[in-house]
């Protein structure tokens, strides 16, 4: 039996029925990784020996007991590397666990390996990795999306049962869409950011990649909750996210924002999403027109706010306490400048410089301050919209996966994030689920957006659609 | 032309707490290098700050003591600049919404340098207005070697408050009095030990000069590296003179940061205005705003101490201390606490104050850790008040007590001082001894001086050993 | 560009400088559209009213790292200090 193809739910049933042991799952996955990751390159490191040791000790009475999970390489795991796909952190070893890692360990999960990303999570294609690009399992010439491209690819290619990623402007949902798996960005404050290497603090969230919506709920049950180590995590009750999954979509009010069905959207994506709307309508959901007028400003706001925060967040990478220090520095100042020149890739430098610029003397009001105000307007749009509907439906990405190297201009790459970015700016939750395939057999993602801390209804809506279709059962041929 | 100086101070004071500002590491002076550190204060990838409620309370209390308005809501900001003593290359501080706004420090006469306390301006009770007090994190300690530097992050991230005055001071002596008064108040609230020599209180100075009568400020310079209160006074005196010389010769002052060198007694240019920093302040997205009106202010108010000038007034009015005594005791919170312990339940305020000020302080005690039980001072004053010993003898007992830490009654016993008031009785015993030992009297008189011991022994027996041998000796010799 | 790169403490080659200049110029030009947005309805307070307040930590000790753990990743160290090229202003 190919255990690596199963879901958390299926494996947990087999584990508790004592049909299999955690070691069997690790063995199946390690074989799978051996046979396909040479093509996908989703993993930066797999520690099979350690995974077997963890499996040996795994307590299957725990909620994720014996389930192997892959971790994006920008989340701290004690005694492991955390490269952020940057040369600068190539040899760094974390002395502590991120809160989500502590929770996964306590829940009995097996940490299988570390996945590739755009350096410091800056990118939408996983091409900006100092350790090589990751390939889309559906078409190896295509990018898997990003920045959590490695996590999306290994779940889609059955190299992991589930994975964690981080999402600042779509970094979970967009690769999930492009690789054909389920990716959830929780409400800001739902999951502790402690231990996730910060890109943009007011936007970052950790979330799961899974094969099904139900699995997403199972992982969320473990990683959610207030954390006293994280000031912006919210003391909100964590429900059992699996409870409401089957409540049914009948009567669910689904908002369709007219601004999200833009010109230039890929026709096949448009058709797939329209079909999804029709399906919801046909199955008893109420389709409601809503308006999110400030969405058109989302990209401008995002690239000002996110880069400003990043310029400060990434200042700590100076080669003093950790990191690869340039040998060319002769004093503290040029040691910094050369360490950062040699350690960071182009996209990271570009964003730090942009962020520094928008905060610098004389420009703060015109850029940063103004962007924050427009962000407030955007947030109001969502508040207004959620008065009329329960969830909002949009495409996840305007196109399916594109060819590697195709988008060399940063602005055109940034524009591809249009549908996901507003969700982070408004701090609400969003999920991407498969909703079809292009004529060239590339997955298309459907994005559902829920109000603040309304993951239960978001998951219900996603689960309803997923179970009404076969998309999630389709596997790439590798 | 006559010139006057315009002086404003930025004082950084370390806030007393158990833990650092944004993590649970110990907030302690010293400690083995790089042992009070964690992922947060080392700025490791992924680590995030959480604000220490006690540091916020302590800063609010400082604001209350200094008559500030406490902001209903405040926030933390990032101040961006690269420097190796910061682990994140930004400092978490408060930019445009500080915790405390306005306020002031009233200069006390006795806070001025001793030699100017008699001057009229010292007695004015001038108020130096404050601009603000904000809370931030301290930086690490660096050590400089030949071609390299070393960094210890133990201090990095400890809470620090910055107290910014208006440019209300006009002389180095006022600055001296301001720092002295401020330190005293911080000690009173137990919010900071504020010892400049230990770096617990640091100060930067903004200073300019202008012709007397001119309203417009002159071009200011910033002075750094002022490590003692008297050093700050010296630095200001030098810098005022320097600026006056430049201006009176028709020159212009360049806006710059200057470093004081206490050894040479001069200031030197550190950097000019052109190299000013562009700090790119913005609200720290890792930290939520703080509201003081949800209990924090009330909690701080509960810790409000009796302030130095109130204490001084009480000592004068209720304990009948002289103004000088009241000032000296109130100047040192620890000493004042000790005094109050000693004086409680007695009516000996002035006497005990006298012992403490004239004898005890001369021993240069660590007033925060006094080993002599306070009740000893009360007992000593009792002995005098009850006529057991006279004041001259009290001094003798006091000197002994300060070194032996013994109880005054024991010292009186040890020294046989208790009998002294009974001179009449001693004389009677001596007369009896002379009458009862004619042989010894005769021997003594014939030159055998040792014979007096027999007489002394007689008296000692009569007094059951409680008499002072030296005193008996004195009386006998007189009588013989 | 040189000024901002300096503030960011990143050395840039001449080519990179020119490339970034044009790329970021385009991004900033795009972001100019924000100037046209009417934000008069947003209160001019630096504090976001949506944020919760007073999530504070009690002043109690948590475990620190040992000096060995703290210095584990140090590019250079001596006598339990992080060592780096000489600090200049």
């Amino acid at each position: 039996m190919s255990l690596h193809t199963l879901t958390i739910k299926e494996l947990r049933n087999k584990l508790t029925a004592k049909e299999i042991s955690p070691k069997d799952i690790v063995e199946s996955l390690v074989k799978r990784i051996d046979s396909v990751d040479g093509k996908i390159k989703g993993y930066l490191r797999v520690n099979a020996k350690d995974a077997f040791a963890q499996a040996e000790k795994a307590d299957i009475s725990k909620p994720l007991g014996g389930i192997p999970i892959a971790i994006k390489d920008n989340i701290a795991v004690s005694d492991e590397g955390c490269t952020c796909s940057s040369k600068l952190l190539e040899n760094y070893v974390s002395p502590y666990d991120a809160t989500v890692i502590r929770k996964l360990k306590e829940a009995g999960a097996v940490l299988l390996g570390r996945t590739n990303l755009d350096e410091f999570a800056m990118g939408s294609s996983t091409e900006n990795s100092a350790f090589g690009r990751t390939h889309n399992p559906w078409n190896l010439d295509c990018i898997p999306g990003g920045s959590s491209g490695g996590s999306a690819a290994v779940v889609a290619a059955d190299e992991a049962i589930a994975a964690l990623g981080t999402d600042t402007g779509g970094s979970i949902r967009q690769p999930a869409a492009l690789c054909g798996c389920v990716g959830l960005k929780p409400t800001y404050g739902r999951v502790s950011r402690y231990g996730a290497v910060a890109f943009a603090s007011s936007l970052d969230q950790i979330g799961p990649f899974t094969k099904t919506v139900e699995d997403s709920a199972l992982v969320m049950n473990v990683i959610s909750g207030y954390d006293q180590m994280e000031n912006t995590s919210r003391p909100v009750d964590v429900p059992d996210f699996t409870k409401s999954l089957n409540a049914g979509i009948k009567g669910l009010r689904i908002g369709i924002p007219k601004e999200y069905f833009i010109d230039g959207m890929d026709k096949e994506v448009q058709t797939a999403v329209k079909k999804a709307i029709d399906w919801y309508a046909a199955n008893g959901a109420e389709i409601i027109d809503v308006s999110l007028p400030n969405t058109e400003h989302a990209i401008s706001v995002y690239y000002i706010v996110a880069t400003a925060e990043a310029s400060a967040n990434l200042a700590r990478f100076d080669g003093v306490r950790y990191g690869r220090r340039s040998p060319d520095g002769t004093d503290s100042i040029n040691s910094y400048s050369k360490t950062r020149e040699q350690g960071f890739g182009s996209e990271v430098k570009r964003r730090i410089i942009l962020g520094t610029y928008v905060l610098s003397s004389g420009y703060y009001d015109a850029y940063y301050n103004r962007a924050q105000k427009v962000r407030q307007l955007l947030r109001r749009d969502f508040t207004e919209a959620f008065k009329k509907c329960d969830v909002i439906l949009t495409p996840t990405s305007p196109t399916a996966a594109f060819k590697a190297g195709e988008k060399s201009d940063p602005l055109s790459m940034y524009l591809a994030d249009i549908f996901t970015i507003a969700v982070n700016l408004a701090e609400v939750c969003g999920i991407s689920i498969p909703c079809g395939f292009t004529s060239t057999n590339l997955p298309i993602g459907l994005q559902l957006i829920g109000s603040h801390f309304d993951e239960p209804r978001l998951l219900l809506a996603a689960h309803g659609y997923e179970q009404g279709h076969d998309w999630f059962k389709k596997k790439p041929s590798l | 032309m006559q010139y006057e100086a315009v002086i404003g101070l930025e004082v950084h004071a370390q806030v007393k707490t158990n833990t650092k500002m944004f993590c649970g590491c110990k907030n302690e002076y010293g400690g083995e290098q790089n042992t009070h550190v964690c992922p947060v204060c080392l700025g490791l990838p992924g680590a995030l700050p959480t604000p220490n409620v006690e540091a916020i309370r302590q800063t609010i209390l400082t604001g209350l003591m200094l008559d500030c308005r406490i902001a209903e809501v405040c926030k933390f900001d990032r101040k961006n600049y690269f420097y190796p003593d910061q682990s994140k290359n930004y400092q978490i501080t408060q930019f445009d919404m500080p915790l405390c706004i306005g306020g002031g420090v009233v200069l006390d006469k006795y806070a001025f340098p001793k030699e100017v306390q008699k001057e009229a301006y010292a007695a004015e009770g001038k108020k130096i207005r404050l601009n603000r007090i904000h809370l931030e994190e301290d930086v690490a300690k660096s050590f400089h070697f030949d071609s390299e530097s070393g960094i210890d992050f133990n201090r990095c991230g400890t809470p620090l408050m910055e107290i910014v005055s208006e440019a209300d001071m006009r002389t180095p002596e006022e600055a001296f009095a301001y720092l002295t008064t401020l330190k005293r108040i911080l000690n009173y609230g137990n919010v900071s030990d504020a010892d400049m020599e230990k770096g617990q209180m640091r100060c930067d100075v903004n200073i300019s000069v202008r012709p007397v009568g001119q309203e417009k400020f002159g071009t200011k310079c910033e002075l750094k590296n002022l490590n003692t209160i008297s050093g700050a006074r010296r630095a200001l005196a030098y810098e005022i003179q320097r600026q006056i010389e430049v201006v009176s010769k028709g020159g212009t002052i360049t806006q710059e940061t200057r470093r004081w060198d206490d050894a040479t007694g001069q200031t030197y240019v550190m950097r000019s205005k052109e190299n000013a920093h562009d700090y790119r302040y913005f609200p720290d997205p890792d930290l939520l705003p703080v509201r003081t009106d949800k209990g924090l202010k009330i909690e701080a108010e509960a810790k409000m101490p009796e302030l130095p000038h109130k204490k001084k007034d009480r000592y004068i009015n209720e304990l009948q201390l002289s103004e000088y005594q009241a000032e000296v005791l109130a100047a040192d919170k620890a000493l004042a606490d000790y005094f109050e312990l000693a004086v409680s339940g007695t009516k000996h305020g002035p006497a005990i104050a006298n012992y403490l000020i004239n004898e005890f302080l001369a021993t240069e005690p660590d007033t925060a850790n006094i080993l002599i039980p306070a009740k000893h001072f009360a007992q000593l004053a009792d002995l005098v008040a009850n006529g057991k010993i006279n004041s001259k003898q009290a001094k003798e007992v006091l000197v002994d007590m300060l070194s032996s830490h013994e109880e005054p009654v024991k010292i009186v016993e040890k020294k046989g001082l208790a009998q002294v008031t009974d001179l009449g009785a001693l004389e009677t015993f001596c007369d009896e001894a002379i009458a009862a030992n004619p042989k010894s009297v005769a021997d003594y008189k014939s030159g055998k001086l040792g014979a007096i011991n027999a007489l002394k022994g007689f008296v000692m027996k009569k007094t059951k050993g409680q008499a002072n041998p030296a005193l008996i000796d004195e009386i006998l010799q007189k009588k013989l | 560009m040189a000024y901002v790169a300096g503030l960011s403490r990143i050395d840039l080659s001449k080519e990179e400088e020119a490339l970034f200049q044009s790329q970021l110029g385009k991004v900033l030009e795009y972001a100019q559209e924000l100037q046209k947005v009417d934000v008069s309805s947003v209160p001019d307070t630096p504090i976001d009213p949506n944020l919760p307040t007073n999530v504070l930590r009690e002043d109690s000790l948590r475990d620190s790292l040992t000096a060995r753990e703290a210095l584990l990743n140090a590019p250079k160290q001596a006598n339990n200090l992080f060592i780096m090229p000489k600090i200049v202003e």
Side-chain angles (χ1 to χ4, degrees):
Chain A
M1 195 195 329
S2 7
L3 295 178
H4 58 269
T5 63
L6 301 184
T7 64
I8 295 175
K9 174 81 175 170
E10 289 162 344
L11 290 168
R12 288 287 303 157
N13 286 342
K14 289 185 185 297
L15 284 166
T16 47
K18 303 236 170 1
E19 291 169 33
I20 57 167
S21 76
K23 263 179 74 179
D24 299 332
I25 309 173
V26 172
E27 202 170 292
S28 172
L29 281 165
V30 169
K31 269 192 201 146
R32 175 69 176 172
I33 293 167
D34 278 347
S35 81
V36 304
D37 205 56
K39 293 183 245 177
I40 308 288
K41 295 190 164 63
Y43 280 103
L44 293 173
R45 298 181 303 284
V46 176
N47 190 342
K49 216 172 115 191
D50 188 52
F52 277 116
Q54 292 176 61
E56 198 90 52
K57 287 184 289 185
D59 179 353
I60 58 161
S61 71
K62 296 284 176 61
L64 292 177
I67 302 298
I69 291 182
I71 308 295
K72 187 178 182 181
D73 207 25
N74 65 345
I75 299 173
V77 179
S78 184
D79 301 320
E80 279 192 24
C82 186
T83 67
C84 300
S85 286
S86 179
K87 268 193 284 190
L88 211 149
L89 291 180
E90 192 166 4
N91 300 312
Y92 171 76
V93 176
S94 176
Y96 76 101
D97 276 334
T99 298
V100 290
I101 298 300
R102 177 176 57 76
K103 289 185 169 194
L104 284 181
K105 285 178 175 175
E106 284 167 8
V110 172
L111 305 184
L112 184 58
R114 308 303 294 268
T115 58
N116 199 11
L117 63 148
D118 286 300
E119 186 178 3
F120 289 106
M122 295 179 175
S124 311
S125 66
T126 317
E127 292 171 290
N128 303 328
S129 165
F131 309 117
R133 72 179 186 91
T134 293
H135 300 255
N136 192 310
W138 295 89
N139 179 339
L140 297 175
D141 294 334
C142 287
I143 56 98
S147 66
S148 314
S151 288
V154 299
V155 171
D158 286 327
E159 297 181 73
I161 307 306
L164 289 189
T166 59
D167 189 318
T168 307
S171 281
I172 291 175
R173 289 156 292 155
Q174 184 255 20
L178 271 43
C179 289
C181 55
V182 176
L184 172 66
K185 194 229 49 115
T187 306
Y188 186 78
R190 174 68 96 179
V191 176
S192 169
R193 296 184 288 117
Y194 189 78
V197 180
F199 160 16
S201 314
S202 74
L203 302 162
D204 294 344
Q205 270 291 289
I206 297 172
F209 286 93
T210 52
K211 297 173 185 176
T212 63
V213 174
E214 187 172 20
D215 278 7
S216 192
L218 286 168
V219 178
M220 283 299 289
N221 278 351
V222 169
I223 65 173
S224 303
Y226 172 70
D227 176 15
Q228 56 173 5
M229 298 296 284
E230 212 267 81
N231 202 232
T232 64
S233 72
R234 302 281 197 269
V236 175
D237 283 345
V238 179
D240 179 345
F241 293 107
T242 61
K243 277 269 155 63
S244 52
L245 286 179
N246 296 307
I249 57 157
K250 203 151 194 239
L252 197 70
R253 298 173 303 162
I254 296 183
I256 311 294
K258 56 175 186 282
E259 296 85 359
Y260 280 56
F261 292 84
I262 49 167
D263 297 338
M265 192 198 300
D266 184 278
K267 279 279 169 296
E268 289 181 299
V269 171
Q270 197 162 352
T271 310
V273 173
K274 288 230 160 103
K275 271 190 184 163
I277 297 170
D278 293 344
W279 181 89
Y280 274 111
N283 284 273
E286 195 183 335
I287 306 299
I288 293 164
D289 285 331
V290 294
S291 177
L292 300 168
N294 287 291
T295 293
E296 62 168 313
H297 310 304
I299 287 174
S300 298
V301 172
Y302 177 82
Y303 278 94
I304 289 166
V305 172
T307 59
E309 292 180 8
S311 72
N313 284 332
L314 271 68
R316 67 183 63 190
F317 302 108
D318 59 9
V320 174
R321 286 142 289 119
Y322 50 83
R324 182 196 277 181
R325 181 187 297 171
S326 165
D328 307 332
T330 52
D331 62 42
S332 58
I333 293 179
N334 66 29
S335 174
Y336 284 166
S337 302
K338 291 188 188 311
T339 293
R340 291 161 66 80
E341 176 197 16
Q342 292 160 18
F344 290 143
S346 280
E347 184 61 22
V348 173
K349 289 180 194 169
R350 198 156 33 230
R351 294 200 196 188
I352 290 174
I353 286 171
L354 179 59
T356 305
Y357 177 82
V358 299
L359 288 175
S360 67
S361 178
Y363 296 99
Y364 180 87
D365 281 332
Y367 289 109
Y368 186 79
N369 207 11
R370 185 143 198 109
Q372 287 292 16
K373 286 188 174 175
V374 179
R375 182 178 181 178
Q376 292 288 344
L377 295 177
L378 198 114
R379 196 200 308 253
R380 276 187 211 164
D381 287 354
F382 276 90
T383 307
E384 286 307 307
F386 281 119
K387 285 178 184 164
K388 293 191 219 149
C389 64
D390 302 313
V391 293
I392 292 170
L393 184 154
T394 77
T396 308
S397 170
T399 66
F402 48 89
K403 292 269 166 62
E406 195 177 284
K407 290 191 182 172
S408 57
D409 173 47
L411 185 57
S412 73
M413 186 78 97
Y414 298 170
L415 292 173
D417 298 331
I418 178 99
F419 298 135
T420 48
I421 274 174
V423 176
N424 299 75
L425 290 170
E427 305 186 358
V428 293
C429 53
I431 192 168
S432 179
I433 54 173
C435 72
F437 286 84
T438 64
S439 55
T440 54
N441 205 33
L442 287 169
I444 298 170
L446 176 72
Q447 176 176 244
L448 295 164
I449 303 166
S451 188
H452 295 98
F453 299 99
D454 199 10
E455 282 87 352
R457 263 198 296 197
L458 179 73
L459 289 163
L460 174 158
H463 181 73
Y465 176 87
E466 174 193 79
Q467 295 304 311
H469 298 81
D470 280 340
W471 309 121
F472 73 98
K473 293 180 184 154
K474 222 176 143 185
K475 301 279 186 184
S477 51
L478 282 160
Chain B
M1 195 185 298
Q2 282 283 91
Y3 289 91
E4 70 170 358
V6 175
I7 302 165
L9 262 58
E10 288 169 15
V11 171
H12 286 94
Q14 290 186 342
V15 182
K16 269 182 128 171
T17 53
N18 295 324
T19 65
K20 291 189 180 184
M21 185 62 230
F22 294 111
C23 65
C25 287
K26 200 168 188 180
N27 175 15
E28 183 186 56
Y29 180 75
E32 198 83 16
Q33 288 168 347
N34 286 307
T35 54
H36 299 339
V37 294
C38 73
V40 179
C41 56
L42 278 178
L44 295 190
L48 295 169
T50 46
N52 182 344
V53 67
E54 182 61 14
I56 294 168
R57 268 190 221 116
Q58 292 276 61
T59 306
I60 297 173
L61 174 58
T62 306
L64 294 171
M65 291 191 297
L66 297 176
D67 216 13
C68 304
R69 182 167 74 73
I70 308 304
E72 273 170 27
V73 58
C74 70
K75 67 179 168 76
F76 291 103
D77 301 281
R78 294 183 182 182
K79 178 181 182 180
N80 295 287
Y81 64 100
F82 281 83
Y83 207 79
D85 61 10
Q86 291 201 88
S87 55
K88 304 180 296 297
N89 287 316
Y90 61 80
Q91 180 190 30
I92 305 176
T93 179
Q94 297 189 293
F95 177 52
D96 52 352
M97 296 185 80
L99 201 40
C100 313
I101 302 138
V105 172
V106 176
L107 303 184
D108 193 283
K109 175 172 137 187
Y110 292 96
F112 279 85
K114 270 219 166 56
E115 69 275 15
V116 303
Q117 285 174 6
K118 291 205 175 69
E119 305 284 340
Y121 66 78
E124 252 173 45
K126 180 171 173 178
K127 180 177 175 179
I128 307 302
R129 290 168 305 149
L130 296 183
N131 177 282
R132 60 187 278 166
I133 304 174
H134 67 254
L135 185 55
E136 58 189 28
E137 49 179 354
D138 208 345
V139 295
K141 266 211 165 100
S142 39
F143 301 87
H144 303 289
F145 311 118
D146 286 347
S147 61
E148 291 180 317
S149 298
I151 307 161
D152 167 17
F153 285 93
N154 281 357
R155 194 181 67 183
C156 186
T158 57
L160 192 68
M161 53 189 166
E162 182 170 337
I163 305 167
V164 183
S165 84
E166 298 291 357
D168 282 355
M169 284 158 272
R170 295 292 173 266
T171 64
E173 288 67 38
E174 285 182 359
F176 181 101
Y178 171 79
L179 288 169
T180 305
T181 309
L182 196 57
K183 172 182 160 61
R184 186 178 298 173
I185 292 171
L186 297 178
N187 287 164
Y188 260 68
N190 199 26
V191 293
S192 176
D193 289 334
D195 186 339
M196 280 187 82
E197 282 166 61
K198 284 186 180 160
Q200 293 161 336
M201 184 161 103
R202 284 161 254 159
C203 107
D204 297 338
V205 175
N206 284 306
I207 174 164
S208 61
V209 296
R210 65 182 174 190
V212 173
Q214 178 183 304
E215 207 161 303
K216 201 174 149 255
F217 288 162
T219 307
K220 68 178 180 184
C221 290
E222 192 180 351
L223 295 190
K224 286 190 180 286
N225 198 40
L226 310 174
N227 297 324
T228 60
I229 294 179
S230 46
R233 183 190 175 196
R234 284 194 295 276
L236 280 166
Y238 170 86
E239 180 64 14
I240 292 168
Q241 212 43 52
R242 185 190 74 82
Q243 293 192 10
I244 289 176
E245 261 173 50
V246 172
V247 177
S248 59
K249 282 179 189 156
T252 51
I253 300 293
T254 324
Q255 187 169 346
E256 60 200 4
T257 302
R258 299 178 69 87
R259 184 176 191 281
W260 166 249
D261 185 337
D262 211 42
T264 62
Q266 297 188 3
T267 62
Y268 302 93
V269 181
M270 265 173 82
R271 60 171 174 266
S272 64
K273 175 81 170 127
E274 288 79 70
N275 301 331
H277 294 289
D278 184 347
Y279 289 124
R280 290 160 283 135
Y281 287 99
F282 73 102
D284 192 330
D286 287 330
L287 293 163
L288 297 171
V290 175
R291 292 204 71 96
T292 60
D293 53 0
K294 285 186 180 168
L296 283 171
K297 191 174 160 194
I298 293 165
E299 287 163 27
E301 275 163 353
K303 301 204 302 181
M304 185 76 173
E306 178 187 37
L307 290 173
H309 66 278
K310 288 263 172 65
K311 193 182 282 291
K312 190 179 141 190
D313 291 348
R314 180 168 61 85
Y315 284 1
I316 294 169
N317 298 326
E318 293 177 22
L319 301 179
Q320 284 76 46
L321 264 53
S322 70
E323 192 196 352
Y324 172 73
Q325 285 180 324
E327 168 60 31
V328 174
L329 292 178
D332 183 337
K333 171 72 169 20
L335 186 63
D337 287 347
Y338 184 82
F339 167 71
E340 291 190 29
L341 200 60
V343 93
S344 75
T346 79
K347 285 177 177 160
H348 306 320
I352 293 173
N354 186 39
Y355 299 150
L356 287 172
I357 293 167
N358 293 333
E359 301 297 331
F360 180 58
L361 284 184
T363 64
E364 293 179 22
D366 171 7
T367 54
N369 300 292
I370 301 175
L371 299 169
I372 303 164
K375 64 174 194 290
H376 287 11
F377 282 95
Q379 198 183 68
L380 181 60
D382 270 339
L383 288 171
V384 176
N386 299 337
K388 291 267 159 60
I389 53 174
N390 63 32
S391 60
K392 197 173 154 218
Q393 289 152 339
K395 186 174 171 182
E396 192 184 338
V397 174
L398 181 55
V399 169
D400 188 304
M401 183 177 101
L402 294 179
S403 58
S404 70
H405 299 183
E406 281 183 277
E407 249 187 292
V409 288
K410 294 254 169 66
I411 297 169
V412 166
E413 241 171 63
K414 184 175 76 183
K415 293 185 172 272
L417 297 172
Q419 309 281 327
V420 170
T421 48
D422 222 359
L423 255 177
L426 273 184
E427 292 210 28
T428 312
F429 287 136
C430 286
D431 288 341
E432 283 178 29
I434 291 165
N437 299 281
K439 185 163 182 300
S440 300
V441 172
D443 284 353
Y444 179 81
K445 285 189 169 163
S446 69
K448 290 185 187 160
L449 296 180
I452 201 169
N453 287 333
L455 301 175
K456 276 162 82 176
F458 182 93
V459 178
M460 289 301 269
K461 209 186 253 172
K462 282 276 178 191
T463 60
K464 298 185 179 99
Q466 303 277 312
N468 180 344
L471 206 62
I472 305 170
D473 208 50
E474 201 180 301
I475 298 168
L476 285 173
Q477 280 186 31
K478 198 175 69 194
K479 287 186 185 288
L480 293 169
Chain C
M1 180 58 69
Y3 170 72
V4 178
L7 277 181
S8 315
R9 291 282 190 272
I10 298 176
D11 276 357
L12 292 180
S13 65
K14 282 275 162 272
E15 298 75 50
E16 250 177 334
E17 206 175 301
L19 180 66
F20 286 5
Q21 181 101 50
S22 87
Q23 289 172 331
L24 295 181
K26 266 194 249 174
V27 175
L28 289 169
E29 196 183 334
Y30 179 85
Q32 279 302 321
E33 54 113 3
L34 292 182
Q35 304 307 321
K36 285 177 283 180
V37 183
D38 177 9
V39 293
S40 57
S41 65
V42 180
D44 202 15
T45 158
I47 290 185
D48 177 349
N50 299 296
L51 292 175
T53 55
N54 291 24
V55 183
L56 304 169
R57 175 175 57 82
E58 286 308 317
D59 185 24
S60 42
L61 282 178
R62 288 179 183 162
D63 286 343
S64 292
L65 298 172
T66 62
R68 198 195 64 82
E69 289 167 325
L71 290 149
L72 191 70
N73 289 291
K76 191 168 179 185
Q77 56 168 296
N79 302 320
N80 281 356
L81 292 174
F82 291 89
I83 300 294
M84 64 167 313
K86 196 166 185 64
I87 297 177
V88 290
E89 276 287 322

